[in-house]
Amino acid sequence: MNPVVEQTINIYKEMPLARKILIGLVILTMLGGFTAMFIWANKTEYKAAYTGLSEADAAVIVEKLKETRIPYKLESGGSIIMVPADQVYDVRLAMARDGIPKGSGVGYEIFDTTAFGTTEFVQKINKKRAIQGELARTIRAFDEVKEARVMIVFPKDSVFVEETKKPSASILLELESDLSDDKVAAVAHLVASAVEDLTPKLVTIVDTTGRILFEGKSEEEKARIEARNLVDSQYKYKMRYETTLAERIQTMLERIVGKDKAIVRVTAEMDFSTSNTSEEIYDPFERETTFVRSKQIQAEKAQKQVDDARDPSSVNPIVPPGDGNGQAMETLDKKNDTVNYELSRRTKQTVKPMAVLQRLSVAAVIDGKYEYKTDETGNRMKNYVPRSQEEMQQFNDIVIKAMGFNETRQDQVSMESFPFASIDDIGISEPELKGWRAVQKEYGRTIANLFLILLLFLLVVRPIVKTVQGARTTIEEEALASAEELALLEGGTVEEPSFIQMDAGEQKEYLDAMSEADRDAFIDQMSSAERQVYLDNLKINEKAAYYAKRDEGKTTNIIKGWLSERDEEDD
């Protein structure tokens, strides 16, 4: 056997058991690490080719992968398909060429293959399935939607307009996370816009937990909801206006009289009605100059014969001229002028705002002043001093300016000064306690203190006392005579210690008292522990003599080691 190997085996045999176990664990760890590194370096890296697949699409893809003999792994119950990382894009392109994955349900690809002789009823059913499938695929584009089902009901056609009905739709969603109200409404309008004559109020959306996410409402219900929302918004607006104005006034007063020395409350009466007024005003006297829009002049002149009557009469005192033959000529001259002027016109449109402030009421209370005086007995007393009329008028003017006082609105301001009661001065009446509550209030602190003292004694003082008593007992036992001394005093015999309990000198004396044959026999009968202690206590030359007798090969290795060490020292 190779001396190096033999020496290694001997060294391993002489090692303690703990060291042998440690070396074995180190060797196993190294082997396991190298094995894991080898497997990791040579394993095939898989990458997700498809995620979130339906069972139908996953089955088709797995069948295609088996046909092409491409390795794959299924995860998450088959919804994720893993393929080697270097083949991911090849797999996706090959599947896309065959139109895979298609998603759950069918879409318009149902019309890619039509059988000869398909009836009109089947065509209508296929169209309905195609619309439902396409809508479901579109809804699944939302990140929060895991799966969607769309059911549409088309009413039967009727020749009578009165009996015509509109289609309706119901949508079932399997959600990964909650959809916001805006997105739910978007889904409803999406489906309603994709189907002819379908309105959002005829669409119902529910999820797989049974919650109604969207339900079509009638016009009356919508009106009630809008009215309720309008009232809430008006109330919030009024409260926000009052709170803001009160804080502005109160913070201003507190900077003057001190923190927590002023209280301000504001009440605003508002008109939330809305109106829209349009009017046209015509004022012909608005402009000083006139503007002629159009002008028309008509003139007419004619003559006609009348009977000659030269003799004046009471009816016709003026004798018209005539020709002397009893005939007279009458001339007619007529003129008509029409002038159209431009009129002034103003168009006015007035929109009343939603919230009009009608009246504003402000009530403010401020604390007075305090003076501290010492009475005859030496007690310090606090006396309230009311604020003067001039100060109150100044505060009142400040509040009027800050609130935007308007006399036309009949605004009101109330400014008063009162002594503020502190928390200690306010007497709060408490109900009378009975039973355990009365005991708890009266003796609760005392009981708690006693309980804490008991815990301190049990957890701190008592362990310290036990430790001190144990140390004292140990000292007293050490001061007493040992069992061997008592046995000698009583004339008894003392049991000799074992070989492993002796020191080096006692072991040497014990072995020297034996004969050489007895000593060799005793050493041969030693246990491994006793032999190890015996060898550790030997000098180097004695140990060499022992190995020289027991094992010649080991002796040779030891001598070679000595010689090599000596050569290194000489160098």
Side-chain angles (χ1 to χ4, degrees), residues 279-287 293 341-348:
E279 58 181 352
E280 292 185 0
I281 301 174
Y282 296 88
D283 188 2
F285 304 103
E286 183 178 5
R287 298 184 179 94
R293 175 185 294 180
Y341 296 93
E342 289 284 356
L343 296 178
S344 174
R345 185 184 69 173
R346 292 197 310 270
T347 302
K348 183 179 180 181

Side-chain angles (χ1 to χ4, degrees), residues 102-151:
K102 298 179 180 179
S104 61
V106 294
Y108 283 112
E109 68 273 5
I110 194 173
F111 296 106
D112 293 343
T113 57
T114 56
F116 180 76
T118 304
T119 61
E120 183 181 359
F121 176 77
V122 175
Q123 290 288 359
K124 289 183 178 180
I125 295 297
N126 290 338
K127 180 181 178 182
K128 179 179 177 182
R129 291 178 60 192
I131 295 175
Q132 294 178 165
E134 293 294 337
L135 288 174
R137 292 175 183 175
T138 306
I139 295 172
R140 283 196 296 271
F142 288 90
D143 296 334
E144 297 85 353
V145 179
K146 181 179 180 182
E147 186 62 36
R149 292 291 302 275
V150 179
M151 285 73 72

Side-chain angles (χ1 to χ4, degrees), residues 11 22 69 94 177 267 327 376 418 439 493 527 557 564 569:
I11 293 173
L22 180 61
R69 296 186 178 181
S177 59
T267 302
Q327 299 290 328
E376 298 176 354
F418 295 102
V439 175
T493 59
S527 62
N557 293 332
S564 62
E569 290 176 358

Side-chain angles (χ1 to χ4, degrees), residues 45-214:
E45 183 181 359
Y46 282 82
K47 188 177 179 180
Y50 296 97
T51 59
L53 291 172
S54 61
E55 295 181 357
D57 287 336
V60 175
I61 293 174
V62 168
E63 185 178 356
K64 291 288 184 180
L65 293 176
K66 289 181 178 179
E67 292 177 359
T68 55
R69 296 186 178 181
I70 297 176
Y72 65 90
K73 291 182 180 179
L74 297 178
E75 294 184 359
S76 299
S79 61
I80 299 177
I81 297 180
M82 311 283 290
V83 297
D86 55 347
Q87 300 182 12
V88 170
Y89 299 106
D90 295 338
V91 170
R92 290 178 180 174
L93 291 174
M95 297 299 172
R97 181 185 57 194
D98 298 334
I100 302 172
K102 298 179 180 179
S104 61
V106 294
Y108 283 112
E109 68 273 5
I110 194 173
F111 296 106
D112 293 343
T113 57
T114 56
F116 180 76
T118 304
T119 61
E120 183 181 359
F121 176 77
V122 175
Q123 290 288 359
K124 289 183 178 180
I125 295 297
N126 290 338
K127 180 181 178 182
K128 179 179 177 182
R129 291 178 60 192
I131 295 175
Q132 294 178 165
E134 293 294 337
L135 288 174
R137 292 175 183 175
T138 306
I139 295 172
R140 283 196 296 271
F142 288 90
D143 296 334
E144 297 85 353
V145 179
K146 181 179 180 182
E147 186 62 36
R149 292 291 302 275
V150 179
M151 285 73 72
I152 302 175
V153 178
F154 292 99
K156 292 183 180 180
D157 297 334
S158 176
V159 296
F160 301 102
V161 179
E162 295 82 1
E163 297 180 359
T164 302
K165 296 181 180 179
K166 293 184 178 181
S168 62
S170 59
I171 304 171
L172 177 66
L173 301 179
E174 183 179 354
L175 301 177
E176 293 183 354
S177 59
D178 289 340
L179 271 175
S180 62
D181 294 339
D182 295 338
K183 290 186 178 181
V184 172
V187 171
H189 284 79
L190 173 69
V191 175
S193 301
V195 180
E196 185 179 0
D197 295 334
L198 180 61
T199 58
K201 68 179 182 180
L202 296 177
V203 177
T204 302
I205 303 176
V206 299
D207 63 358
T208 52
T209 61
R211 294 184 302 168
I212 299 177
L213 304 180
F214 185 88

Side-chain angles (χ1 to χ4, degrees), residues 170-377:
S170 59
I171 304 171
L172 177 66
L173 301 179
E174 183 179 354
L175 301 177
E176 293 183 354
S177 59
D178 289 340
L179 271 175
S180 62
D181 294 339
D182 295 338
K183 290 186 178 181
V184 172
V187 171
H189 284 79
L190 173 69
V191 175
S193 301
V195 180
E196 185 179 0
D197 295 334
L198 180 61
T199 58
K201 68 179 182 180
L202 296 177
V203 177
T204 302
I205 303 176
V206 299
D207 63 358
T208 52
T209 61
R211 294 184 302 168
I212 299 177
L213 304 180
F214 185 88
E215 184 179 8
K217 297 178 176 62
S218 61
E219 297 298 332
E220 296 180 357
E221 292 178 348
K222 289 182 178 180
R224 285 198 299 269
I225 294 174
E226 291 177 357
R228 184 168 59 252
N229 295 336
L230 180 61
V231 171
D232 293 340
S233 62
Q234 291 175 356
Y235 175 76
K236 291 179 181 178
Y237 177 82
K238 180 175 179 294
M239 292 297 297
R240 186 166 60 249
Y241 179 84
E242 294 175 350
T243 304
T244 304
L245 184 58
E247 289 179 353
R248 289 174 56 190
I249 299 174
Q250 184 169 344
T251 53
M252 182 177 59
L253 293 177
E254 286 182 346
R255 292 293 298 272
I256 301 173
V257 299
K259 183 68 174 175
D260 297 333
K261 296 293 184 179
I263 301 174
V264 179
R265 296 293 183 266
V266 176
T267 302
E269 297 180 9
M270 292 184 175
D271 181 13
F272 290 98
S273 61
T274 59
S275 63
N276 190 348
T277 304
S278 298
E279 58 181 352
E280 292 185 0
I281 301 174
Y282 296 88
D283 188 2
F285 304 103
E286 183 178 5
R287 298 184 179 94
E288 296 179 356
T289 59
T290 58
F291 295 92
V292 177
R293 175 185 294 180
S294 62
K295 185 175 182 181
Q296 184 179 7
I297 300 175
Q298 294 180 354
E300 183 180 355
K301 187 176 183 181
Q303 292 182 353
K304 66 177 182 177
Q305 293 181 356
V306 297
D307 294 336
D308 190 8
R310 292 184 179 272
D311 296 332
S313 63
S314 59
V315 178
N316 187 11
I318 299 175
V319 177
D323 53 0
N325 296 324
Q327 299 290 328
M329 300 298 294
E330 181 179 2
T331 301
L332 297 176
D333 192 359
K334 184 178 181 183
K335 188 176 181 180
N336 185 12
D337 294 344
T338 302
V339 180
N340 294 325
Y341 296 93
E342 289 284 356
L343 296 178
S344 174
R345 185 184 69 173
R346 292 197 310 270
T347 302
K348 183 179 180 181
Q349 184 175 6
T350 305
V351 179
K352 182 181 177 182
M354 184 188 71
V356 177
L357 184 62
Q358 292 184 332
R359 179 182 294 179
L360 194 61
S361 301
V362 177
V365 179
I366 60 176
D367 197 3
K369 300 178 181 179
Y370 295 90
E371 293 181 353
Y372 293 90
K373 295 182 180 180
T374 304
D375 58 6
E376 298 176 354
T377 59

